Amino acid sequence: MSDQGSDQYGERHDDGDRRADRDFLADRFEGYRGHLRSVAYRMLGSAAEAEDAVQEAWFRLHRSDTREVENLGGWLTTVVGRVCLDMLRSRRTRGEEPLDTWRPAPSAEPDPAQDAVLADSVGVALLVVLDTLSPAERLAFVLHDLFGVPFEEIGGILGRSPAAARQLASRARRRVRGAAAPETDLARQREVVDAFLAAARDGDFDGLLAVLDPDVVARSEAGVTSGAAAVAAGAAGFARLARIARPALVDGATGLVVLVDGRPERVLTFAFAADRITVVDIVTAPDRLADLTIETT
């Protein structure tokens, strides 16, 4: 009788531990939900489908043993990427809507304010351009250029080598820039970059946050920094060099250049959405600088 009671107590204890683990995992997932929804929306261009992708990521998390996962955010981003890739491929087999009638779909449970935030942070024009890419190109471009996911992980999602993933992102980047060029408002972009430069010179953290997209990515030879707060902190530390930085057109795009003895020592180029900076590329390697066409303005 005592053995049975002990067994029953042990079973209840195990159930309690499992419930506590599930609750802890659910809390951690909720902390990443906004980021995952942002990734999925940029991948799919639909708030409803983005919500479905995030929910599928939760189901997969719930069914997986993640005790050995060191970077849960990265793991979840990879899962959402796989789910979105499958959804994009499925969408292509069903046939696509013509681009002239394409609009972001409303969410399954309408939340106009939330959907407006998503749309403003991406921009319908960018989503339309992204919709012209193949699923693999779109995944490589979005995950790497907008969220700083390494090509090793992107290659794993696609079942390709890191070099092949890099080529996909590069091809997508050229297509996005080429398609966006006629719509580009260089004057407005210059205003945003001027505000960024002024805030960096003054170490104005709030001023930097005002021109950075919440999910901005800064990339350099040293690595990738993600998120407005982290990028703003890095840019505030750029104050000394910012004082001698000058606005420039870099390969025809809005950027900044730091000249030392008349030669470029550092170049920053930017990507934009809804009048905010989404990507900052920082180039310091001499061989890469030599490949750029720089025109100070």
Side-chain angles (χ1 to χ4, degrees):
M1 193 72 179
S2 60
D3 289 341
Q4 183 179 3
S6 175
D7 290 341
Q8 289 174 345
Y9 179 81
E11 184 176 338
R12 286 196 298 271
H13 180 72
D14 290 343
D15 287 345
D17 285 347
R18 284 194 291 270
R19 283 195 297 271
D21 289 343
R22 285 196 299 270
D23 290 344
F24 176 71
L25 203 58
D27 287 342
R28 293 193 67 192
F29 182 84
E30 286 304 315
Y32 292 113
R33 180 180 288 276
H35 165 75
L36 297 176
R37 194 166 187 261
S38 184
V39 172
Y41 187 73
R42 284 161 170 80
M43 283 290 300
L44 301 168
S46 160
E49 288 185 327
E51 203 63 62
D52 289 343
V54 172
Q55 194 62 23
E56 177 62 24
W58 163 248
F59 291 145
R60 295 190 185 188
L61 174 64
H62 188 65
R63 295 193 300 262
S64 302
D65 183 357
T66 58
R67 286 175 294 183
E68 302 300 321
V69 174
E70 295 182 1
N71 181 359
L72 184 61
W75 187 90
L76 287 168
T77 299
T78 298
V79 170
V80 166
R82 292 182 188 276
V83 171
C84 290
L85 183 63
D86 290 342
M87 293 173 73
L88 286 172
R89 286 170 172 166
S90 175
R91 182 191 294 174
R92 291 226 159 187
T93 62
R94 297 193 306 266
E96 297 177 278
E97 290 183 81
L99 290 179
D100 57 356
T101 62
W102 184 93
R103 293 292 185 276
S107 59
E109 296 180 4
D111 184 345
Q114 191 175 46
D115 289 347
V117 169
L118 280 173
D120 286 345
S121 70
V122 184
V124 170
L126 177 59
L127 288 175
V128 171
V129 174
L130 290 177
D131 219 35
T132 67
L133 305 177
S134 72
E137 288 172 340
R138 185 163 181 162
L139 181 133
F141 176 79
V142 169
L143 290 189
H144 181 266
D145 282 43
L146 301 186
F147 294 98
V149 176
F151 285 120
E152 289 76 9
E153 295 181 24
I154 295 171
I157 297 173
L158 294 170
R160 306 190 189 190
S161 69
R166 184 186 298 274
Q167 289 179 345
L168 285 167
S170 178
R171 186 161 65 236
R173 195 177 304 120
R174 288 195 300 270
R175 293 178 64 184
V176 167
R177 286 177 177 171
E183 302 293 331
T184 296
D185 183 351
L186 290 177
R188 178 56 190 147
Q189 290 182 1
R190 171 67 184 271
E191 291 177 6
V192 175
V193 169
D194 284 348
F196 171 87
L197 183 58
R201 284 171 173 167
D202 295 339
D204 180 359
F205 187 79
D206 290 337
L208 288 164
L209 289 180
V211 296
L212 295 174
D213 183 87
D215 296 314
V216 63
V217 173
R219 300 185 304 232
S220 69
E221 288 90 348
V224 176
T225 302
S226 302
V231 173
F238 173 64
R240 181 182 62 82
L241 287 175
R243 294 189 185 98
I244 58 173
R246 299 174 59 183
L249 289 178
V250 182
D251 289 342
T254 304
L256 296 171
V257 60
V258 175
L259 297 172
V260 176
D261 296 329
R263 296 182 179 180
E265 187 270 344
R266 180 180 307 244
V267 164
L268 281 69
T269 59
F270 305 87
F272 304 85
D275 290 339
R276 288 201 173 193
I277 296 168
T278 57
V279 180
V280 184
D281 272 313
I282 305 165
V283 181
T284 58
D287 57 336
R288 293 185 62 198
L289 288 170
D291 290 336
L292 299 175
T293 301
I294 302 169
E295 179 184 353
T296 56
T297 59

